[in-house]
Amino acid sequence: MHLWRGDKHLLRGIDLALHRGELLQVVGPNGVGKTSLLRCIAGLLPMESGEVKWSGQDIRKSRDEYTRALSYLAHTNALKNELTALENLRFSVSLLRHVTPQALVETLERLQISQCSDLPVRALSAGQKRRLAIARILLSETTLWILDEPITNLDAAGIALFEACVAQHLERGGAVLTAAHQLLLKGEPNVRTLELRP
Amino acid sequence: MWLWFHKLSSPPHAYRTAGRLRPWFFWPAILLLLIGTYGGLVLAPEDYQQKDAFRILYVHVPSASMSLMVYVALAVAAAIGLIWRMKLAHAFAAACAPVGAWFTVLTLVTGSIYGKPMWGTWWEWDPRLTSELILLFLYLGYMALRASFDDTQRADRASAILAIVGVVNVPIVKYSVVWWNSLHQGPSISKLAAPSIDPSMLWPLLVMMLGFVLYFAAVMCDRIRGEILRRERNASWLSEIAVGT
Amino acid sequence: MTAPGLLGLVRLVIARDLKLAVRHWDQVVQPLIFFVIVTTLFPLAISPALDELRKIGPGIVWVAAMLASLLALESLFRPDVEDGTMEQWTLSGQPLSIMLLAKTFTHWLLAGLPLVAISPLVGTALGLPSSVWPVLAISLALGTGSLSILGAIGAALTVAVRRGSVLLALLVLPLEMPVLIFGARAVDLAMHGESVAGPLNLLAAMLLLFVSLGPIAMAAAMRISVES
């Protein structure tokens, strides 16, 4: 079981726990601190006070272990315009683990962007770039996904594809934390929401 | 010890302590500076070579040693703040920088005033003055980096890294400048160094040095209070003090 | 499942940065052109007489190299921080210091090494005899390495700051002065037929020091910069 607790000054007195197989969606109006909360939990932003625990350990003490179990999707897609979709994906996944060319192609196919695998990212549409960024998350084989508004720029088909990916990840025992304006997987038992108020 | 450390690092406590300590530094500093000035300007005998011109060293030497000491203190405080996440250490480092920069400016100005009768020119690329000038650049860079961040906490940590890198570099700068100068002018005794000094000339210098240190401590008490006020402007203990007085 | 080892990681970063450089090579040659232009300014400003230029030639080449390296630093980390790549690097569980060192090394390959290669040409234009070419090239090779690392620390500190390029110069130039002193002096000594072992050894020692400690400072600075 994986447990976390958070507490941040900007967002006073937040206490939350996320377990394997669970999706937690943070909702709330713009500027309420959803992104800050996610970045805090990902360890990108230092906290005023409080702690984030992963498997019972403070993430500041076991940072490498924690980051290896974590994938983070920001507003930015972390893609290089000059490189092709495939090159981008290969590099970002190779940083984390060994990956076969076949696995890369399969993931691109799964997200239905294999037709632009050899195009420079500059030439991709915003939705295609987002799909490519999601492909990185899928291939990272990490337990915890922290996704900041993952479905931005995605069309209806893209959202459906993404929901399927999240559902599969949860089934395999992964945990997902998102900041969202639009709820995913409505009505599933293992899906919760956390509402932040200003 | 650890408890004391922890207590001191709490902003309200540090604020009050600095306020209480200030007069204990300030008045002795003024006294020592007066004694040292009198001793240096009146009691100390005239130098047989440099006549009265050497008397400016009673300001120049203490400010030169302070400029370097303050930089080291700044870097040590910054390192403590970075490693133990101690906000008060960062506040101390931030408060140090302008004071240290002023000591550096004072050193450069008095150095060049001293240089005019000694060398016949306002500026000489003397190794000590040159490294003092580079030290001033380091101070300015530190303050510029600090000013360019909106978020105090990030400014603290980023400038702390710069201060540490700078303090590692200071001996290299010092050595390289001495080496550079020795190549150009041949081995000569540095013009600001007195190989042997008469006790009647020395004691005012030591008094002045101590006075400078105490003066720095007194100024730091004020500056650190200012830093704490700025950083804690939203804290509840501050409004209590404000209402109380 | 296995994460790449350190060597694999270094190779990965270098390969990526080289590929990126090839795709926008125009930006890569800009500092080199800048270097040549700056060295051209001095004869125009001072005198066309090679006798006079020869005296200050080592200094000119070194100051120009310092400025060119500074110019190139601006784009060392900025693109990666802006598009979120650097954020992913800090979260990759891989040693950030090693990755940044690899990146800085690639930067040196693209911005420092060309200066070394072109230095005989520039030296000739400033009246430096061909006998000092080797010393000029070696001193530049060692020195630009140190410049790259010190500059990378400054770049990591200022990358999140608006209009950081002037600030970068302000922070980095004072730290780089010893490199300038030893580098220019080595060439000067060589011109007078004296031994250059001293300054070259010192340059090498500084490079070693910066290579071993610099990446730690870079990584610490970068973690602060990606917070925003």
Side-chain angles (χ1 to χ4, degrees):
Chain A
M1 187 172 93
H2 298 274
L3 179 81
W4 322 15
R5 285 210 315 273
D7 176 351
K8 191 174 179 292
H9 210 65
L10 177 86
L11 312 148
R12 263 165 223 277
I14 292 195
D15 197 340
L16 62 90
L18 184 65
H19 306 274
R20 276 178 173 268
E22 257 186 358
L23 164 65
L24 179 64
Q25 308 189 71
V26 182
V27 294
N30 291 99
V32 77
K34 297 191 293 291
T35 296
S36 297
L37 176 65
L38 259 54
R39 291 176 67 85
C40 240
I41 294 172
L44 283 166
L45 209 61
M47 278 172 293
E48 193 77 19
S49 65
E51 57 182 356
V52 178
K53 280 187 174 178
W54 171 251
S55 307
Q57 277 206 313
D58 192 324
I59 60 163
R60 278 173 294 192
K61 296 210 173 78
S62 55
R63 186 163 63 187
D64 283 356
E65 199 183 315
Y66 176 61
T67 49
R68 272 194 283 271
L70 163 79
S71 291
Y72 176 68
L73 178 68
H75 288 281
T76 50
N77 291 321
L79 298 170
K80 287 275 144 209
N81 277 329
E82 297 86 351
L83 300 181
T84 68
L86 194 62
E87 283 168 339
N88 263 297
L89 192 61
R90 189 189 311 130
F91 173 78
S92 54
V93 179
S94 302
L95 277 185
L96 310 170
R97 65 187 190 87
H98 180 73
V99 63
T100 59
Q102 197 194 351
L104 294 175
V105 173
E106 277 170 8
T107 310
L108 288 177
E109 274 168 5
R110 184 170 167 201
L111 289 166
Q112 298 173 2
I113 42 174
S114 55
Q115 73 280 8
C116 39
S117 65
D118 290 327
L119 288 179
V121 162
R122 180 186 303 115
L124 266 54
S125 77
Q128 285 171 324
K129 285 181 194 168
R130 201 61 175 165
R131 289 186 189 203
L132 187 55
I134 291 168
R136 166 175 62 79
I137 306 281
L138 292 183
L139 278 168
S140 61
E141 295 194 345
T142 48
T143 315
L144 173 64
W145 294 358
I146 298 181
L147 314 172
D148 197 351
E149 304 197 6
I151 55 174
T152 315
N153 293 324
L154 290 187
D155 55 13
I159 294 174
L161 272 173
F162 175 69
E163 273 190 315
C165 293
V166 170
Q168 190 191 32
H169 183 60
L170 297 177
E171 252 168 53
R172 289 177 181 170
V176 182
L177 176 69
T178 67
H181 288 297
Q182 196 182 338
L183 293 177
L184 298 169
L185 298 170
K186 269 181 210 156
E188 299 281 329
N190 51 353
V191 176
R192 292 185 293 143
T193 57
L194 171 74
E195 199 182 341
L196 296 181
R197 289 187 200 87
Chain B
M1 168 68 191
W2 194 238
L3 195 73
W4 168 84
F5 199 60
H6 202 75
K7 199 177 164 200
L8 188 69
S9 67
S10 93
H13 188 79
Y15 181 81
R16 281 187 215 104
T17 310
R20 233 173 273 140
L21 285 177
R22 186 187 172 278
W24 294 97
F25 290 131
F26 184 73
W27 296 112
I30 296 293
L31 190 68
L32 284 174
L33 288 178
L34 285 175
I35 295 174
T37 310
Y38 184 73
L41 293 188
V42 180
L43 297 182
E46 204 173 73
D47 187 272
Y48 75 99
Q49 240 183 345
Q50 310 181 353
K51 306 286 180 223
D52 276 335
F54 87 99
R55 294 185 195 276
I56 200 165
L57 293 189
Y58 289 116
V59 179
H60 178 78
V61 173
S63 49
S65 63
M66 283 309 288
S67 63
L68 197 62
M69 217 174 81
V70 172
Y71 193 81
V72 173
L74 185 160
V76 170
I80 291 175
L82 204 59
I83 296 166
W84 287 290
R85 296 164 204 267
M86 202 173 130
K87 283 189 202 164
L88 191 68
H90 283 307
F92 180 87
C96 272
V99 186
W102 267 118
F103 279 126
T104 318
V105 170
L106 194 61
T107 311
L108 289 172
V109 170
T110 52
S112 82
I113 293 174
Y114 176 71
K116 184 63 181 165
M118 288 297 110
W119 307 321
T121 150
W122 291 110
W123 182 259
E124 179 85 4
W125 288 97
D126 169 87
R128 289 173 188 231
L129 281 182
T130 308
S131 42
E132 199 70 23
L133 184 64
I134 298 177
L135 185 63
L136 179 63
F137 295 153
L138 292 180
Y139 272 119
L140 293 179
Y142 176 88
M143 289 192 283
L145 180 66
R146 178 167 272 291
S148 62
F149 282 97
D150 298 327
D151 177 359
T152 312
Q153 283 200 37
R154 287 176 74 203
D156 280 344
R157 284 176 298 139
S159 58
I161 292 171
L162 182 69
I164 294 166
V165 173
V167 92
V168 169
N169 232 283
V170 161
I172 302 177
V173 168
K174 187 88 194 163
Y175 175 76
S176 67
V177 168
V178 169
W179 182 83
W180 156 79
N181 200 267
S182 68
L183 274 186
H184 283 263
Q185 304 194 330
S188 68
I189 306 159
S190 175
K191 282 147 190 153
L192 294 185
S196 68
I197 186 165
D198 191 76
S200 63
M201 288 178 171
L202 183 62
W203 73 262
L205 187 63
L206 297 178
V207 169
M208 285 299 271
M209 277 183 161
L210 191 60
F212 266 67
V213 172
L214 289 179
Y215 176 74
F216 169 67
V219 169
M220 281 306 289
C221 283
D222 279 342
R223 291 196 53 85
I224 198 129
R225 274 158 68 93
E227 272 294 321
I228 292 173
L229 286 184
R230 200 172 58 74
R231 284 155 189 257
E232 303 274 316
R233 56 187 174 269
N234 297 325
S236 55
W237 66 268
L238 255 184
S239 45
E240 280 163 28
I241 289 184
V243 170
T245 49
Chain C
M1 282 317 289
T2 48
L6 279 189
L7 266 182
L9 187 69
V10 168
R11 208 175 300 139
L12 210 59
V13 172
I14 292 177
R16 186 199 78 135
D17 274 19
L18 286 179
K19 196 178 271 180
L20 281 171
V22 170
R23 305 237 167 127
H24 52 72
W25 58 271
D26 51 315
Q27 287 174 30
V28 176
V29 295
Q30 280 168 10
L32 190 63
I33 299 171
F34 176 82
F35 176 66
V36 175
I37 290 178
V38 169
T39 51
T40 316
L41 295 179
F42 285 88
L44 296 178
I46 295 167
S47 153
L50 283 184
D51 281 351
E52 283 181 47
L53 289 174
R54 191 171 297 135
K55 270 187 229 154
I56 50 170
I60 295 172
V61 175
W62 262 93
V63 169
M66 230 166 128
L67 296 179
S69 128
L70 202 59
L71 192 74
L73 282 168
E74 175 61 11
S75 59
L76 173 56
F77 296 133
R78 196 170 288 278
D80 281 331
V81 169
E82 277 172 0
D83 67 19
T85 305
M86 199 50 79
E87 205 167 71
Q88 293 300 329
W89 285 21
T90 65
L91 290 176
S92 65
Q94 299 281 6
L96 185 61
S97 51
I98 299 295
M99 297 170 85
L100 297 184
L101 183 63
K103 212 171 152 47
T104 309
F105 174 72
T106 321
H107 173 261
W108 177 80
L109 282 182
L110 296 166
L113 209 52
L115 299 191
V116 177
I118 206 172
S119 63
L121 197 67
V122 172
T124 309
L126 294 172
L128 301 185
S130 59
S131 58
V132 304
W133 288 358
V135 175
L136 182 63
I138 293 170
S139 73
L140 275 175
L142 293 171
T144 50
S146 293
L147 296 184
S148 290
I149 290 174
L150 285 173
I153 298 173
L157 279 172
T158 56
V159 68
V161 171
R162 285 163 276 111
R163 294 191 302 277
S165 50
V166 181
L167 182 63
L168 175 65
L170 197 62
L171 302 189
V172 168
L173 286 178
L175 297 175
E176 290 180 346
M177 283 176 189
V179 181
L180 174 74
I181 290 175
F182 294 128
R185 207 50 57 208
V187 184
D188 203 38
L189 287 176
M191 257 180 10
H192 294 96
E194 289 174 53
S195 162
V196 293
L200 288 186
N201 285 343
L202 286 166
L203 277 177
M206 277 201 300
L207 181 59
L208 277 180
L209 177 76
F210 293 145
V211 165
S212 42
L213 295 183
I216 304 169
M218 280 180 221
M222 189 53 82
R223 285 190 197 280
I224 296 167
S225 284
V226 296
E227 269 173 30
S228 60

